[in-house]
Every structure is written in C-alpha cells, then in structure tokens.
Amino acid sequence: MIISDKILTKIIQPRPLQSHKGDFGRVLTIGGNINYGGAIIMATAASVSSGAGLVTCATNKENLTALHARVPEAMFVNYFDKIALSDSIASADVIILGPGLGDDIRAQEIVQVCLTNLRSRHTCIIDGSAITIISQNTHLKELATTSAAQIIYTPHQMEWQRLSHILIPEQTTSTSQKIQAFLNATVILKKYHTEIFHKNRLISTLEIGGPYMATGGMGDTLAGILGGFIAQFNKNHNLNEIIDAAVYFHTYVAQELAKENYVVLPTKLISQIPAVMKKFE
Amino acid sequence: MIISDKILTKIIQPRPLQSHKGDFGRVLTIGGNINYGGAIIMATAASVSSGAGLVTCATNKENLTALHARVPEAMFVNYFDKIALSDSIASADVIILGPGLGDDIRAQEIVQVCLTNLRSRHTCIIDGSAITIISQNTHLKELATTSAAQIIYTPHQMEWQRLSHILIPEQTTSTSQKIQAFLNATVILKKYHTEIFHKNRLISTLEIGGPYMATGGMGDTLAGILGGFIAQFNKNHNLNEIIDAAVYFHTYVAQELAKENYVVLPTKLISQIPAVMKKFE
Amino acid sequence: MIISDKILTKIIQPRPLQSHKGDFGRVLTIGGNINYGGAIIMATAASVSSGAGLVTCATNKENLTALHARVPEAMFVNYFDKIALSDSIASADVIILGPGLGDDIRAQEIVQVCLTNLRSRHTCIIDGSAITIISQNTHLKELATTSAAQIIYTPHQMEWQRLSHILIPEQTTSTSQKIQAFLNATVILKKYHTEIFHKNRLISTLEIGGPYMATGGMGDTLAGILGGFIAQFNKNHNLNEIIDAAVYFHTYVAQELAKENYVVLPTKLISQIPAVMKKFE
Amino acid sequence: MIISDKILTKIIQPRPLQSHKGDFGRVLTIGGNINYGGAIIMATAASVSSGAGLVTCATNKENLTALHARVPEAMFVNYFDKIALSDSIASADVIILGPGLGDDIRAQEIVQVCLTNLRSRHTCIIDGSAITIISQNTHLKELATTSAAQIIYTPHQMEWQRLSHILIPEQTTSTSQKIQAFLNATVILKKYHTEIFHKNRLISTLEIGGPYMATGGMGDTLAGILGGFIAQFNKNHNLNEIIDAAVYFHTYVAQELAKENYVVLPTKLISQIPAVMKKFE
C-alpha cells in the first residue's frame, strides 16, 4: 500500500481536552557514545517536538550538557548505570535503542540490558548501531526475536543486509518479508521509496521524499518521531498506522522544507514538527 | 472566581520610568540534579524572560554550562555549597524551590537549608520534587507550614495527593481548601481547569488551556513565570492577583502558540514571553 | 550635550572596501568567574556582533564550552594563566575588564595583571566587579589613575559611590566630574539619563532609554558594544564621539525592541546589533 | 577569469533522485585546540549546512560539548587519538586541516599524521594554523608538496608570505603562481579580490565581497563550504570549478546578508547556506 497524507489526518487527531502529560507516553532514548552524541540528541529532540509526554535520554555522561543545551525538556540517565537504565526502561512506554550507540563491548552490554528488560507493553525501536550489534550476536538476536515487546527495526539497506543476511542487490520485497517474519518485528527499510514490513504481513511504501534528506542525522530524527508518535497515539490507533504516519510525516516535513532549502538539516526539520503536525490536526 | 485576561491588563503595568534592575526583584531558582537539569534551566529562563530584575540559579555544577549556553542572563550557584546557598537566599526576594531537584538525601538537605533560611520578606514557590520531599518529611512540612515567608505550592494532582493525603478522586474544592488552610500557603493545583487556593480563602479558577500543554517542562515554566511576576509586581499589587495573572499568562501564551503548533514546547513558550507581555502593558 | 542619533550616522560609516579583520581591531574581554560566566559571554557576544575584527575572551575555564556554544566567533584564554593573559593584552587594542569577574583575591590578581600590562595604545573599559576591586585597593586605583592607556569606567550609581566616595544622593554633575578628573578617565555613569564624563571635561547625556532595560546583563552588553565600537572606529573618529555613539546605540537597539517586548533581554539585543547598525551606515 | 554566479548554477545541480548520504561524501574537519575551538565548530557547521553527506570533527575533547550543542549533525573524534584520527582520514573523502589548530608541537604532530595518511583519492584543504605549521617545517612541506592527494591551501596574505616566502607587497599574480606550481597545490589567496591559483595554471578572481566579511571566523566558514561542495559535487564536476563555486558562494551569501547587516557573522552566514543554495539549484 502506498502511504498518503490521509494517514496523517487520521492519526494526528485533536487531543482529548482533559489530558495530562502521562497520557502522551514516556519515551526513553538509548544511545550516543562519546563520538556520536549528536545522534541521540537529535532522536531525543524529535521525540520531544513530536509530542511525547515525557522523554528521557540514556546516554554517555559526556553528552549531558549538549543534550540540555539543545533540549532542556528531556531528562538524562547515565546509560552505564545499569540500575538506572533498567528503571528507566521499566517506566518507559516506547524505547528508541541505538542512535549513535556505537558497537563496542559496552554498547553490546547496553543492548543486552535493554532487550532483557523489555515487556509486552513496550514498543522498542531498534536503530543504527543497535541493529549492527544484534546482527552480530546470536544471543541478542534471539532475545529480540523472542521478545514480548513490539520490535521495530529501522535499517538502511546495508544494516538490513547485516541483519537479514540478504545482500543489497537481492533485497526484494519477498526476500525481505521472509526474514522480517522470522524476526517477529516490524521492519522499516530505509531507502529510495522506503518500505515498511508490518507484522501482519502488510507492506506500506513511501513514495515521497528526495535526496535533500541524504544527510547525517536524518535516520536519528525518524527514530525520534516514531517514538513520539507511538507514545502518544498508541491508545487510539493501531501500531501499523501510527508507524506509517510517522514515516510519512518525517519525509513530509523534509519535503516542505526542501522547497526553500537545497539540503534539509535534521535540526531544522525537528524545529518544524509542531507546526506541521498542526496542519493535519 | 474565573480568571480572565483583565487580570493581565491590571498587573502588567508600564514600568516606572526611573527604575533599575533592583526594582524588579531578585529570583533564586533552586533545583536541577544531574538527571533533571533541564527543569531548572527552563524555570530560570522563564523568570528571566518574564522580567525579573536579577535571576540566580542554584543547581548541580553539572548544569552550569547548559544553563549559560541557554540563559547567560542568569547567575550560577552550586547548590551543594550551603554557605553560598544561604547567602543567595538571604539576598533573594522570590525563591523557586524544586524543579528537577530530585528527592534523594542531598535534595532533602537543600530543601531544609532553604526552608530554615526563609524570612517574612520572602516568597517561596515550592514545586515538583520539593513538594514530594516535604510530603514525606514531617519536620520539613512543619518548617514550611510555620514559615514566616509566603509559601506557594504548585502541585499537580498526584503531588497534591502526597502533600494533602487526599486521594485524587476525592480532591474536591472543599477537601483541598481545608488542607490548604492547614498548610498556611497558597496552593496552585495544576489540572484541567487549574484551581488556585489563596490564603484569604478566595479561590481562582483557570478556564483556558488545553492538551497542547501536556508536555514535560510546562510546570517548570509556570514556576519560573510565577517567580518573575512576583519579583517585579510585588510592590504595587497584592500577591493573590499577581499569582492569578502569572497562571493565566502562562496558559495564555501556550494558547496563542497552540494556534500554530500541535504541541507547545516550554522553550518555545519562554521565547514568546516578552512579546506577549507587551500586548497587555 | 544631549546625544542624538546624529552621532550614529557620523560614527557608523561605510567600511573601506579594501580592509581585513585586523583593521577593525582586537578586543579582549576579561571576566566571568564560575558564578557569573554569563556576563562575560554577553560582553564578548556584543563585541563580536558590533563588528570588532577579532575578539578573545579571557575567562574561567568553566565558561569555555558555554562561550563557544553561544559565540564560536570568539577565542578563549584561561584568565588564570598569567602569561597567556599578558600576551593577550599585549596583542589587544581594546580591553573590557570586569564583567562577571567577581571580587575575590584571584579576581584582584587578574585586575592587577591587566592594569600593569596596559600601554598607551590601549583602551581599557573597566566594568562591574573590576570597578569594585579598584575602589577597594589603593594600589590598583593608583595603577589605573596613572595608566598610560585610555581608561573608561562604566559604573552604575552604587559602583560610582564606591569608586568616587560620593554617596548616591550627592552624585551631582559637578561632584562627579571633580572625581572623574582626578581618576584621569572617562566615566560612563549608568542611571536614568546616563551621563558620560569625558576626559576633556565635556559631558554627554543620554535622554533615551527606559525601564525595559532594567535586567541583568544589560551593563555587560553595553561594555561589549563599547569595545566593538572603539576597536573598529578608533582610527577615524575621536574617542569621545565613539563612546557617545556606543552608549546611544546600546539604548537605541533596546528602545526599538521595546516596541514589541515588555522587557528587552540582553541576548535578544545582541542578536539585533548588525541589522540596527546597518540602518545608520 | 573572473568568477560569476553562472558557476553556481552550473555546480549546484539537482541531486539524483536515488541517492543516499554516502553519495554526498564524507568530510573530516581537523582543528580546534583549547583556545580556538570555535573555528573548527564553524568549519564543521559550514560543511554540514552546505550539504556534505557525513561530517566528522576531529578536535580537542574540550570542544566536544560545544560542537554538539551547535551541530549535533556532526560526529566527534579526539584528535590526540592517532589511531582514531588515522581511521577517520582513511574513511574521509575531503579533509579540512587547520581551523583553530594552533601551532604547538601537538598540532604539528596532528598535521604530520594527516599528511602521512593522505591518499590519491583525498582532497585536503589546508587552512589557518596548518599553513603556518607547514611553512615552518621542511619535512611537512615536503610531505604536502609530494602528496598524492589534491591539496588546497587557503592562506590570507600573511600566511601566504609564510608559506611562499613572498613578502606581501611582492605578492603579484606571477610571483604567487610560480610558488603555487612548486607547491603542487591549488592556492586560494584570500584578500580583497581573492585569487585562486588552480593546478592547471588557470587563475580565477573573485570580484564580489566587501568589508562586512572582515570578522573572525569567515575563513573557517569558507574552509567548511569548500569541504561541503567538494564532497558532494566531486563526482560530476571538475575540482577547479567546484572550488570557484565554493569561493564565490561563500561571498555571495555574505553579500546578500550585508544588505541588512553592517557586519556578517559567520554563524549567521552558515545558517543561510541551504536556502541560498536552493536559489541556484
């Protein structure tokens, strides 16, 4: 199915008058080592701007100050503190695991802590380095595949090759869907005309977007918007449609900005989220 | 009494021509542990933007750089330095205690230092974690209840349950007012149609606002605006009216922004404060 | 003499076509301890925005990151490194000494290093805490008074009381001028209708401005603009007129912003400097 | 040849629809010691904004937080970690060496690591302090001159004097070109009417620009734009034309901003890059 902007009108409904921040969900972002701190900051900012009720960022302590300088709305947890990390997972509704996490041994441990703490009420978006880590570790892959939580992978084609063992030229709808089913997860395969393999075997395709989005940080921003949308719209809509809406919305904002910009910077995209959402309410 | 925008016109008067920053009061914000630094940064920024003459932020040293990166207009004090904290309280007019403070033993000590240093000329806004701490500590509650200072609590309903021991479903105007009278304080009970229980037993009700405000940091921002309004308008207006004006103003700015934004981020709200105040001058 | 906007048209001339950053002078800002880092950041930002060719900020290392997060155009020196500080003074044209410096023993040492390194080609703006330090130390006051450099003090009335020993109610034009002559310096006495006591005994008065400027950081911003104006306009204009222009300009920008803002935040003022200067070019 | 805006229309082509960030190149910026961190932040931001696919900043760890606070799109590497630095060079397409690097012994080592790791597929922009270091070290100069990579120097006149040993008054087109040929590099000689000495002995001249650009950080910004343009346009255009386009574009953006600003701040220029590029697409 080709996603259209109708999905935005459907999902981005007026909020119930009597509501408080708890009603719009808790997002936990996990990532950002010392080299890639910007990635988790962008994912976090995108979740905040897209309307999650409360957002916590579990990251390397080196990223604390830059996080608050850009997004004081978010809370901080040191991701090496396993107790604090487990507690944060326990109180989160949606977890975004992976932006800027890196793939060293400590990152692997964080992925393990996350996967072992997932419960059926969780949705976990597995992005970036976390996909690579899971691809390379049979135990973690088993944990993810058998998780009671809703798992959403957001690989680009090379990451999908690692995770699915399908070489990029052989990544067809049917080969990809077979592995997706085995993974027991939604797969958002990011590419020219992104495909979304839903768990009920429906496939959604994105036909908007363009090369103005080909810049570092766009994927982190998508992960953040997915988190924000799922956290707040989960009660009243089914997950497939929320995912389609988030993916479409991310690109729609970029497309709008691209009318006036040769490239669309993720931070610029993030700043426009609340205003563009309003247009579809 | 239902608050209307008339209160803004009444309180936000043209400033006397011959005045200096000392005339608009000194605000001290106290809060922001290593996990919740953004909360105290937003409260501080809101006090600065709403016109306090001088604003100092007593916080964890980890928050120093993010504070100055966002609000260089504010000064910094290490909140673990008891002498510096006491000195800052002594020279402040309005104290905002609690945004992002957390509730561990060191936070409790800070609340104690603050409460024991309050004098009759102080107004102290007790927000967030500080409400929880006081709820759980008989000695501190006694200190607050018998304080010579004007005390203003800003609980949401769960915090009010903790402080008042009234379960949320049983929080009626009359049950709440009884406890508020016992607390010897103003209580701003944040909820759908926020109620303000004044010390003279008058009750003000807010009938504007909406679910676009249900996002982390909104409460911190309200605390900051309360601080800024009380610090500068205290000389010429009575406290009840200033509080009503601050609460109404906070929501009014959000309401204006919500015309163009699906959610209203606290940092965006803060940036609009000086311009919206001007409209009512 | 009452300063009018004619001084802006006179001083803010089109720049010579063939020029490079060295032609617009080097400003060194010195200040910002751990508590008042925002002050030196605002002074530095104001110098950069008002057109100084190169700006270096000598401050506490704790302020390094916030400085670069806000003003990457400025360079950094650790003000406790006496050799680096002396070298920076040696290569500067204009020095702004004092915003957020504090008045402890280490601050006093910094003032001493600065004053002993001044040469006749320097202009030194002595602001904030540095005025208090010099007021309380006979040796430093002697150094300043006998300096070969152009000294400009920018006290508010309480600081002027400390420096001049004239009580605020007795600060008349004539009593102030007597002490100013003794100090061998320009004195910009900041108050309702700021007075500038020039070294040639002319007195300039500012009749614009208003209470929207009564907010922490406005003085630091003025110091920064003075630095920027003197650094770049010194070659073609006499110092008195440049000072008058800077003081008028600072207030003019605030006045323009006050049409739309109840209070004018220093950081907002700074952001408007290049555009407002353009109007007078 | 005098560069005109035709070069922008020629180089800034619509991007191929099916492309990803890898297609627009990897830029590595190397510089920013503890004193001059802002320089490398501005160069990095300019590369990101001008459309490089991925940008990594190798700098002093002290600059990590300010980098992410301003440009979360960029990744970080500690430039003292020789293995990480070599790896980053190996995976980069374009390297910007020198903004804010300083010229001490550790900076010299970094220049050496960079030059020894260059391969024929690299383009290396040598800017600021790196030019001075190479000027003063025969071995490094030999390394640069014999490098298989495309080398681009971006000296101002004093730096060119150091590198070429031609005194500023004797820097004519013909004396400069002789040394440039010997250096086996492109030389962008920044001055009133900047001259570009291409490797094929063609010379391009810039006739736009003005004194509103004479402010610290403009050179760093140019280096960043050069990096961004070369990284993304290298496949479809020859290097000479890309360089001409980048130099012209940098000044064109400044010229546009100068219509409304007395001085053009580098950070302001950077913020306008995507929108101005769009006008020429």
Side-chain angles (χ1 to χ4, degrees):
Chain A
M1 194 205 65
I2 294 161
I3 316 174
S4 79
D5 64 1
K6 292 210 183 80
I7 194 68
L8 297 184
T9 313
K10 182 168 182 188
I11 298 296
I12 306 176
Q13 290 289 317
R15 294 176 155 197
L17 270 181
Q18 290 205 40
S19 51
H20 60 91
K21 59 191 174 189
D23 296 325
F24 303 113
R26 288 173 173 265
V27 173
L28 175 67
T29 60
I30 306 174
N33 67 7
I34 196 170
N35 296 112
Y36 310 133
I40 202 67
I41 292 172
M42 290 185 285
T44 305
S47 282
V48 168
S49 291
S50 56
L54 282 166
V55 183
T56 297
C57 176
T59 185
N60 192 301
K61 207 186 137 192
E62 293 286 348
N63 299 320
L64 165 57
T65 294
L67 174 72
H68 282 338
R70 290 202 73 92
V71 203
E73 286 89 350
M75 293 166 284
F76 164 79
V77 161
N78 184 334
Y79 68 6
F80 290 142
D81 177 341
K82 289 186 185 174
I83 293 173
L85 182 57
S86 302
D87 288 352
S88 298
I89 293 166
S91 61
D93 301 305
V94 181
I95 293 149
I96 301 171
L97 175 68
L101 182 63
D103 55 10
D104 64 9
I105 182 70
R106 302 199 74 177
Q108 294 165 32
E109 286 172 14
I110 288 166
V111 170
Q112 170 145 8
V113 171
C114 181
L115 293 179
T116 54
N117 279 281
L118 290 182
R119 299 292 172 264
S120 62
R121 62 180 199 74
H122 283 126
T123 302
C124 183
I125 298 154
I126 300 180
D127 183 62
S129 332
I131 298 176
T132 301
I133 286 174
I134 288 172
S135 302
Q136 294 165 348
N137 182 313
T138 315
H139 173 59
L140 294 178
K141 197 166 179 178
E142 177 74 14
L143 272 178
T145 306
T146 61
S147 176
Q150 296 287 341
I151 302 286
I152 301 167
Y153 291 103
T154 55
H156 53 56
Q157 291 175 285
M158 178 54 68
E159 288 165 342
W160 184 232
Q161 175 175 311
R162 285 185 206 126
L163 183 63
S164 67
H165 301 299
I166 313 169
L167 298 179
I168 292 177
E170 298 167 10
Q171 291 175 2
T172 64
T173 300
S174 95
T175 57
S176 288
Q177 195 175 40
K178 188 152 51 174
I179 303 296
Q180 172 258 331
F182 167 79
L183 290 170
N184 187 31
T186 307
V187 172
I188 301 171
L189 180 54
K190 297 182 291 195
K191 57 186 181 78
Y192 181 69
H193 291 180
T194 287
E195 282 180 309
I196 307 174
F197 299 92
H198 291 294
K199 288 182 72 175
N200 64 357
R201 304 193 62 73
L202 287 181
I203 297 173
S204 306
T205 307
L206 189 70
E207 295 204 338
I208 62 170
Y212 42 80
M213 298 177 75
T215 186
M218 265 300 163
D220 310 311
T221 302
L222 172 59
I225 292 174
L226 277 163
F229 271 48
I230 295 168
Q232 77 192 287
F233 297 126
N234 219 5
K235 287 183 185 170
N236 303 309
H237 298 279
N238 82 60
L239 185 60
N240 288 9
E241 289 186 327
I242 299 169
I243 292 170
D244 286 359
V247 170
Y248 189 91
F249 180 77
H250 172 249
T251 295
Y252 180 86
V253 182
Q255 192 180 54
E256 289 297 297
L257 283 168
K259 292 176 182 164
E260 306 287 338
N261 294 278
Y262 186 72
V263 283
V264 175
L265 297 196
T267 45
K268 181 90 174 183
L269 192 162
I270 292 165
S271 72
Q272 300 304 305
I273 291 174
V276 181
M277 285 182 78
K278 184 68 183 179
K279 296 190 349 190
F280 292 96
E281 187 187 12
Chain B
M1 193 204 65
I2 295 162
I3 316 174
S4 78
D5 64 1
K6 292 211 182 77
I7 194 69
L8 297 184
T9 314
K10 182 169 181 186
I11 298 296
I12 306 176
Q13 290 288 318
R15 294 177 155 198
L17 271 182
Q18 290 205 38
S19 50
H20 60 93
K21 60 190 174 189
D23 295 326
F24 302 112
R26 289 172 173 265
V27 173
L28 175 67
T29 59
I30 306 175
N33 66 8
I34 195 170
N35 297 112
Y36 310 132
I40 202 67
I41 292 172
M42 290 185 284
T44 305
S47 283
V48 168
S49 291
S50 57
L54 283 166
V55 183
T56 297
C57 176
T59 186
N60 191 301
K61 206 186 137 191
E62 294 286 348
N63 299 320
L64 165 58
T65 294
L67 174 72
H68 282 337
R70 289 202 75 91
V71 203
E73 286 89 349
M75 294 167 283
F76 165 79
V77 162
N78 184 334
Y79 68 5
F80 289 143
D81 177 342
K82 288 187 185 173
I83 293 173
L85 182 58
S86 301
D87 287 352
S88 297
I89 294 167
S91 61
D93 301 306
V94 181
I95 293 149
I96 300 171
L97 175 67
L101 182 62
D103 56 8
D104 65 8
I105 184 70
R106 301 198 75 176
Q108 293 165 34
E109 285 173 14
I110 288 166
V111 170
Q112 171 145 6
V113 170
C114 180
L115 293 178
T116 53
N117 279 281
L118 290 181
R119 300 291 172 264
S120 62
R121 61 180 200 75
H122 284 126
T123 302
C124 183
I125 299 154
I126 299 180
D127 183 63
S129 334
I131 298 175
T132 301
I133 287 174
I134 288 172
S135 302
Q136 294 165 346
N137 183 313
T138 315
H139 173 59
L140 294 178
K141 196 166 179 178
E142 177 74 14
L143 272 179
T145 306
T146 60
S147 175
Q150 297 286 341
I151 302 287
I152 301 168
Y153 291 103
T154 55
H156 52 58
Q157 290 175 287
M158 178 54 69
E159 288 165 342
W160 183 232
Q161 175 175 311
R162 285 185 206 126
L163 184 64
S164 68
H165 301 298
I166 313 171
L167 299 177
I168 292 177
E170 298 167 8
Q171 290 175 4
T172 64
T173 300
S174 96
T175 58
S176 288
Q177 194 174 43
K178 189 151 51 174
I179 303 297
Q180 171 259 329
F182 167 78
L183 290 170
N184 188 32
T186 307
V187 172
I188 301 171
L189 180 53
K190 297 182 292 196
K191 55 188 183 77
Y192 181 69
H193 290 180
T194 286
E195 282 181 308
I196 306 173
F197 299 92
H198 292 293
K199 289 181 72 176
N200 64 358
R201 304 193 61 74
L202 287 181
I203 297 173
S204 306
T205 306
L206 189 69
E207 296 203 338
I208 61 170
Y212 43 80
M213 298 177 75
T215 187
M218 266 300 163
D220 310 311
T221 302
L222 171 59
I225 293 174
L226 277 163
F229 270 48
I230 295 169
Q232 77 192 287
F233 297 127
N234 219 4
K235 286 184 184 169
N236 304 309
H237 298 280
N238 82 61
L239 185 60
N240 288 8
E241 289 185 327
I242 300 169
I243 292 170
D244 286 359
V247 170
Y248 189 91
F249 180 77
H250 172 249
T251 294
Y252 180 86
V253 182
Q255 194 181 53
E256 290 297 296
L257 284 167
K259 292 175 183 165
E260 307 286 340
N261 294 277
Y262 186 72
V263 283
V264 175
L265 298 196
T267 45
K268 180 89 173 182
L269 192 163
I270 292 166
S271 71
Q272 301 304 306
I273 291 174
V276 180
M277 285 182 78
K278 183 67 182 181
K279 296 191 348 190
F280 291 96
E281 187 188 10
Chain C
M1 193 203 66
I2 295 161
I3 316 174
S4 79
D5 63 2
K6 294 211 181 77
I7 195 69
L8 297 184
T9 314
K10 182 169 181 185
I11 298 296
I12 305 176
Q13 290 289 318
R15 292 176 157 198
L17 270 182
Q18 291 204 38
S19 51
H20 60 92
K21 60 190 172 188
D23 296 325
F24 302 112
R26 289 172 173 265
V27 172
L28 175 67
T29 59
I30 306 174
N33 66 9
I34 194 170
N35 297 112
Y36 309 133
I40 202 68
I41 292 172
M42 290 186 283
T44 304
S47 283
V48 167
S49 292
S50 57
L54 284 166
V55 183
T56 298
C57 176
T59 185
N60 192 302
K61 205 185 138 192
E62 294 285 350
N63 299 320
L64 165 57
T65 295
L67 174 72
H68 282 337
R70 289 202 74 91
V71 203
E73 287 89 349
M75 294 166 283
F76 165 79
V77 162
N78 184 334
Y79 68 5
F80 289 143
D81 177 342
K82 288 187 185 174
I83 293 173
L85 183 57
S86 301
D87 287 353
S88 298
I89 294 167
S91 61
D93 301 306
V94 180
I95 293 148
I96 300 172
L97 176 67
L101 182 63
D103 57 9
D104 65 9
I105 184 70
R106 301 198 75 176
Q108 294 165 33
E109 286 172 14
I110 288 166
V111 171
Q112 170 144 8
V113 170
C114 180
L115 293 179
T116 52
N117 279 281
L118 291 181
R119 300 293 173 261
S120 61
R121 61 181 199 75
H122 284 126
T123 302
C124 183
I125 298 154
I126 299 179
D127 183 62
S129 332
I131 297 175
T132 301
I133 287 174
I134 288 172
S135 301
Q136 294 166 348
N137 183 314
T138 315
H139 173 59
L140 295 178
K141 195 166 180 178
E142 177 74 14
L143 272 178
T145 307
T146 59
S147 175
Q150 296 287 340
I151 302 287
I152 301 168
Y153 290 104
T154 56
H156 52 58
Q157 290 176 286
M158 178 54 70
E159 288 166 341
W160 183 231
Q161 175 175 312
R162 286 185 205 125
L163 183 64
S164 68
H165 302 299
I166 312 170
L167 298 177
I168 292 177
E170 297 168 9
Q171 290 175 3
T172 64
T173 300
S174 98
T175 58
S176 288
Q177 193 173 44
K178 189 151 52 175
I179 303 296
Q180 171 260 329
F182 167 79
L183 290 170
N184 187 31
T186 306
V187 172
I188 301 172
L189 181 53
K190 297 184 292 197
K191 57 189 180 77
Y192 181 69
H193 291 178
T194 287
E195 283 180 309
I196 306 173
F197 298 92
H198 291 293
K199 288 182 74 176
N200 64 357
R201 303 193 63 72
L202 287 181
I203 298 173
S204 306
T205 306
L206 188 71
E207 296 204 337
I208 62 171
Y212 42 82
M213 299 177 75
T215 187
M218 266 299 163
D220 310 311
T221 303
L222 172 59
I225 293 174
L226 277 162
F229 271 47
I230 295 169
Q232 78 192 286
F233 297 127
N234 218 4
K235 286 185 184 169
N236 303 309
H237 297 280
N238 82 62
L239 184 60
N240 288 8
E241 289 185 327
I242 300 169
I243 292 170
D244 286 0
V247 170
Y248 189 91
F249 180 78
H250 172 249
T251 295
Y252 180 86
V253 182
Q255 194 181 52
E256 290 296 298
L257 284 167
K259 291 175 184 166
E260 306 287 339
N261 294 279
Y262 186 72
V263 283
V264 175
L265 297 196
T267 45
K268 179 89 173 182
L269 193 162
I270 291 166
S271 71
Q272 301 303 306
I273 291 174
V276 181
M277 285 181 79
K278 183 68 182 179
K279 297 190 348 188
F280 290 97
E281 187 187 11
Chain D
M1 192 204 65
I2 295 161
I3 316 174
S4 80
D5 63 2
K6 292 209 183 79
I7 194 69
L8 297 184
T9 314
K10 181 169 182 186
I11 298 296
I12 306 177
Q13 290 287 319
R15 294 176 157 199
L17 271 182
Q18 289 205 40
S19 50
H20 60 91
K21 59 190 173 188
D23 295 326
F24 302 113
R26 289 173 173 265
V27 173
L28 175 67
T29 60
I30 306 174
N33 67 8
I34 196 171
N35 298 112
Y36 310 133
I40 201 68
I41 292 172
M42 290 185 284
T44 304
S47 283
V48 168
S49 291
S50 57
L54 283 166
V55 183
T56 297
C57 175
T59 185
N60 192 301
K61 205 184 137 193
E62 294 286 349
N63 299 321
L64 165 58
T65 295
L67 173 72
H68 282 338
R70 290 202 73 92
V71 203
E73 286 90 349
M75 293 166 284
F76 164 79
V77 162
N78 184 334
Y79 68 7
F80 289 143
D81 177 342
K82 288 187 186 175
I83 293 173
L85 182 58
S86 301
D87 287 352
S88 298
I89 293 166
S91 61
D93 301 305
V94 181
I95 293 149
I96 300 172
L97 175 68
L101 182 63
D103 55 9
D104 64 9
I105 183 72
R106 301 199 74 175
Q108 294 166 33
E109 286 172 14
I110 288 166
V111 170
Q112 170 145 9
V113 170
C114 180
L115 293 179
T116 53
N117 280 281
L118 291 182
R119 300 292 172 262
S120 62
R121 63 181 198 74
H122 283 126
T123 302
C124 183
I125 298 154
I126 300 180
D127 183 62
S129 331
I131 298 175
T132 300
I133 286 174
I134 288 172
S135 302
Q136 293 165 349
N137 182 313
T138 314
H139 172 60
L140 295 177
K141 197 166 179 179
E142 177 75 13
L143 272 177
T145 306
T146 60
S147 175
Q150 296 287 340
I151 301 286
I152 301 167
Y153 290 103
T154 56
H156 54 57
Q157 291 176 286
M158 177 54 69
E159 288 165 342
W160 183 233
Q161 174 175 311
R162 286 187 204 124
L163 183 63
S164 68
H165 300 300
I166 312 170
L167 298 178
I168 293 176
E170 297 167 10
Q171 290 174 1
T172 64
T173 300
S174 98
T175 58
S176 288
Q177 194 174 43
K178 188 150 54 173
I179 303 296
Q180 170 259 331
F182 166 79
L183 290 170
N184 186 32
T186 306
V187 172
I188 301 172
L189 180 54
K190 297 184 292 196
K191 57 188 181 79
Y192 181 69
H193 291 179
T194 286
E195 283 181 309
I196 306 173
F197 299 92
H198 291 294
K199 288 182 73 177
N200 64 358
R201 304 193 62 74
L202 287 181
I203 297 173
S204 304
T205 306
L206 188 70
E207 294 203 339
I208 62 170
Y212 42 81
M213 298 177 75
T215 187
M218 267 298 164
D220 310 311
T221 303
L222 172 58
I225 293 174
L226 278 163
F229 271 48
I230 294 169
Q232 78 192 285
F233 297 127
N234 218 5
K235 288 183 185 171
N236 304 309
H237 297 280
N238 82 61
L239 185 60
N240 287 8
E241 288 185 327
I242 300 170
I243 293 171
D244 285 0
V247 170
Y248 189 91
F249 180 77
H250 171 250
T251 294
Y252 180 86
V253 182
Q255 193 181 54
E256 290 297 297
L257 283 168
K259 292 176 183 164
E260 306 287 339
N261 294 278
Y262 186 72
V263 284
V264 175
L265 297 197
T267 45
K268 180 89 174 183
L269 192 163
I270 292 165
S271 71
Q272 301 303 307
I273 291 174
V276 180
M277 285 181 79
K278 183 68 182 178
K279 298 191 347 189
F280 291 97
E281 188 187 12

